[in-house]
Amino acid sequence: MSTALVDDIKEIKEDNPFESMMSRFDRAAQLLNLDPDLYAVMRVPNRELKVYIPTRMDSGRIQVFEGFRVQHNFARGPAKGGIRYSPDVNIDEIRALAAWMTWKCAVVNVPFGGAKGGIICDPMQMSIGELERMTRRYASELLDFIGPEKDVPAPDMNTNEQTMAWIMDTYSMHARHTVNAVVTGKPIDLGGSRGRLEATGRGLLIVVTEAAKRFKMTPADTRVVVQGSGNVGGIAALLVHQAGFKVVGISDVHGGIYNPRGLEIPQALKHLEATRSFEGFGGAERVSNSELLELDCDVLIPAATENQITSSNAERLKCKVLAEGANGPTTAAADEILYRKGIFVIPDILANAGGVTVSYFEWVQDRMGYFWREDVVNERLQDTMVASFNDLCRYADAHSVDTRTAAYMLAIDRVAYDTRMRGIYA
Ligand code: NAD
C-alpha cells in the first residue's frame, strides 16, 4: 500500500464508530499489504440511501422522518443487516454498522455482504399504528433496493419481528406475491427460523465456552458479567447461567446488580420484566453501568451499545476474556490497552455473529420452503461458531497479531479475494 494512502488515515475521534471501524480496517489492510485498488474500493460503502418518510400520526398530521440504508459491500452475496429506530441514529453510525456486517459475514463465512438501516425517531413515543405506517412507508421507499437477491434487512435496536412482518408484507403487496426471504427475524409462522431469537446469545455462549476451554477455565469457576439484558445480553446471561457459568453481574440502561457468589439469572430477568428495573432484586448489590464493567470477573460480555470500553476505563477492566455481544462496544483507542493488559478479546464481528448466521439459515429455509427443527438450527450454529473461533485463533497465531486485528484481516482477506476474482467493474 502506498504511504499516501496510509497518510490519509486521520487521527480518529474516539466516539465516532465509523472512524473507529476504519482505523481497524486500515491497520488490517496495511498488515495484509492490500492492493491499493482493492483498498480504495473496499474502504467505502457501495451505496448510501437517505429517505424522507412522510407518516400520518394519530393526530391526523403528517410528520416527516429521516431514514437511511447503507449497503456497504456485495462482493460475497446480497447485503445483510438490521434496521434500528432511535433518536440517536446518524449516518456515521449506520455506515460503521453496515461495514461491520460485511466483515462479520466474512468472518463466519456466510455468503452475504453488509448493510444497515435506521430511522431517526423515538419509538417509545409512537403508537403501534404510527410505527406501522412509518415502517411501511420506509419499506416502500427501499423497494427497488431490497429483496432476497439484493439486500435482506433484519431487526436491530427497537425493531422486532412485528417490524419485519410489516416490511415483508409491504414488499409482498408490491410484488403481488408473498416474498418471505426479503427480511429475516420474522415470526416463525411467517417464515422465521426456529432458534433465531436466541441465536446471538447462543453464539456468545458457544464462543465463551471455547475461550474457557482455551484457558482451562471450568464453567463453575468462571465468573461472568453481562452489560445489557435485552435480546443479546438477557439471552446470553440466561444461556451461560444454564450452562453452569457463574453470572455475577448484569445490568440494563438504568444500572446493574452484583453478587460475587453468583446471581439467580432466571429470577433476575423475571424481576426485570415485571418491574422494568433490577432495582429491588434481593440478594444483590446495586452497581452503576460503569462500575459493572470494572467488576472482578473472568468473562465480560458488553451487550448493550457502542463505545462502552474506551481509553478512559479500559485500564480498569479486570476480566480475562472480553466477549463483545454488542456491535462496537470497544473503541479503537481502547484496543491497545486491552492488548497490553493481556485481555483475550473475542471481537464483536465474531462474538455476536450467531444472529446473522441463523438469519442466513432463515433465508436458506425461506428459499427452500422447508423449515428445520430447532436442534438442527442450533447444531449448525454450533458448527459455524466453533469453526470460526478456531479459524480466528489460528489466524491470530499465524500472523502474530491480536484477535481484533486477526478478525479484520481474515474478513478483509476473504472479501478481497472475492473482489479480485470477480474483478473490479471500473
Ligand atoms: P435490546 O434493545 O434488546 O437491548 C439492549 C440492552 O442494553 C437493554 O437491556 C438496555 O436497557 C441496555 N442499554 C441500552 N443502552 C445502554 C447504555 N447506554 N448502558 C447500559 N445499558 C444500556 O438490543 P439487543 O438486540 O440486545 O442489541 C444489543 C447490542 O447487540 C447492539 O449493539 C446490537 O447492534 C447488537 N447486536 C444485536 C443482535 C441481535 O440479534 N439482536 C445481533 C448482533 C449484534
Side-chain angles (χ1 to χ4, degrees):
M1 189 189 306
S2 77
T3 11
L5 286 174
V6 180
D7 290 346
D8 274 352
I9 303 168
K10 299 184 196 85
E11 198 174 307
I12 62 161
K13 286 201 208 84
E14 184 165 7
D15 60 355
N16 181 322
F18 184 70
E19 293 188 18
S20 218
M21 187 279 301
M22 285 314 299
S23 73
R24 281 131 171 191
F25 171 86
D26 284 333
R27 175 171 152 72
Q30 218 170 339
L31 289 168
L32 285 167
N33 209 8
L34 192 68
D35 169 80
D37 290 342
L38 281 173
Y39 174 82
V41 170
M42 286 172 56
R43 98 184 289 279
V44 289
N46 189 283
R47 185 187 282 142
E48 295 185 356
L49 301 164
K50 180 172 181 182
V51 292
Y52 291 95
I53 310 157
T55 303
R56 189 161 308 274
M57 306 304 278
D58 292 345
S59 65
R61 302 295 304 269
I62 299 284
Q63 188 170 338
V64 181
F65 294 94
E66 206 174 311
F68 307 97
R69 184 75 184 166
V70 174
Q71 296 173 331
H72 178 259
N73 194 288
F74 296 97
R76 291 166 52 83
K80 184 89 193 78
I83 293 174
R84 60 172 58 176
Y85 292 171
S86 157
D88 303 325
V89 161
N90 62 75
I91 189 70
D92 268 339
E93 178 194 49
I94 299 293
R95 258 189 213 130
L97 289 159
W100 276 322
M101 288 306 296
T102 302
W103 314 134
K104 192 182 298 187
C105 292
V107 162
V108 285
N109 235 332
V110 155
F112 285 139
K116 204 80 178 189
I119 302 180
I120 305 172
C121 65
D122 189 351
M124 307 308 164
Q125 304 301 322
M126 295 171 71
S127 70
I128 288 282
E130 290 169 342
L131 284 170
E132 176 172 355
R133 293 189 289 277
M134 180 184 76
T135 301
R136 287 184 181 277
R137 180 62 195 254
Y138 174 64
S140 76
E141 293 299 328
L142 297 182
L143 277 184
D144 293 335
F145 302 98
I146 58 173
E149 314 282 350
K150 295 180 182 176
D151 176 2
V152 186
D156 194 74
M157 273 181 179
N158 298 324
T159 57
N160 53 29
E161 60 175 27
Q162 174 63 82
T163 323
M164 295 305 113
W166 290 328
I167 296 177
M168 190 273 268
D169 184 71
T170 308
Y171 187 88
S172 300
M173 287 295 136
H174 287 268
R176 318 302 290 167
H177 62 101
T178 297
V179 186
N180 54 14
V182 63
V183 286
T184 59
K186 296 177 294 292
I188 289 183
D189 286 345
L190 293 178
S193 177
R194 291 185 175 80
R196 170 62 188 93
L197 195 66
E198 301 82 13
T200 308
R202 186 171 297 282
L204 276 158
L205 165 67
I206 297 167
V207 293
V208 165
T209 305
E210 291 306 302
K213 279 190 214 156
R214 187 179 162 101
F215 295 108
K216 307 205 173 357
M217 308 191 295
T218 58
D221 296 322
T222 304
R223 297 155 307 156
V224 181
V225 168
V226 184
Q227 185 197 38
S229 42
N231 178 260
V232 181
I235 291 175
L238 192 61
L239 293 177
V240 296
H241 171 83
Q242 285 167 353
F245 289 87
K246 198 195 282 184
V247 181
V248 295
I250 188 164
S251 69
D252 78 343
V253 68
H254 306 297
I257 46 174
Y258 171 60
N259 182 340
R261 291 184 304 282
L263 293 163
E264 271 312 315
I265 290 298
Q267 279 85 327
L269 292 175
K270 271 194 203 121
H271 182 89
L272 175 69
E273 203 184 331
T275 67
R276 297 177 142 240
S277 164
F278 285 116
E279 185 121 24
F281 182 71
E285 185 187 321
R286 286 284 292 169
V287 286
S288 69
N289 260 301
S290 50
E291 287 165 343
L292 181 105
L293 294 172
E294 296 168 20
L295 287 173
D296 196 8
C297 66
D298 301 296
V299 178
L300 175 63
I301 305 180
T305 186
E306 288 118 55
N307 299 335
Q308 296 302 296
I309 299 160
T310 68
S311 55
S312 321
N313 65 357
E315 199 64 63
R316 296 194 294 274
L317 259 53
K318 298 190 186 68
C319 59
K320 299 186 182 75
V321 174
L322 178 67
E324 297 181 330
N327 286 311
T330 307
T331 65
D335 281 350
E336 181 64 33
I337 302 169
L338 300 180
Y339 185 63
R340 192 165 25 79
K341 283 172 67 75
I343 294 177
F344 181 78
V345 177
I346 313 176
D348 48 4
I349 56 176
L350 170 65
N352 69 33
V356 77
T357 303
V358 176
S359 278
Y360 165 55
F361 296 161
E362 179 173 334
W363 178 81
V364 169
Q365 292 171 78
D366 288 341
R367 286 156 62 100
M368 292 166 91
Y370 176 67
F371 293 88
W372 311 341
R373 290 195 321 261
E374 186 166 348
D375 60 319
V376 174
V377 172
N378 290 346
E379 195 184 314
R380 290 179 178 166
L381 173 64
Q382 168 91 15
D383 290 349
T384 301
M385 295 302 295
V386 171
S388 306
F389 180 89
N390 290 332
D391 280 353
L392 178 67
C393 293
R394 268 196 301 271
Y395 203 97
D397 292 344
H399 291 82
S400 307
V401 289
D402 60 284
T403 45
R404 167 103 51 218
T405 307
Y408 276 77
M409 287 173 75
L410 182 60
I412 292 169
D413 219 358
R414 287 181 177 159
V415 177
Y417 175 82
D418 293 340
T419 309
R420 198 180 306 114
M421 290 306 287
R422 288 176 68 145
I424 298 171
Y425 186 5

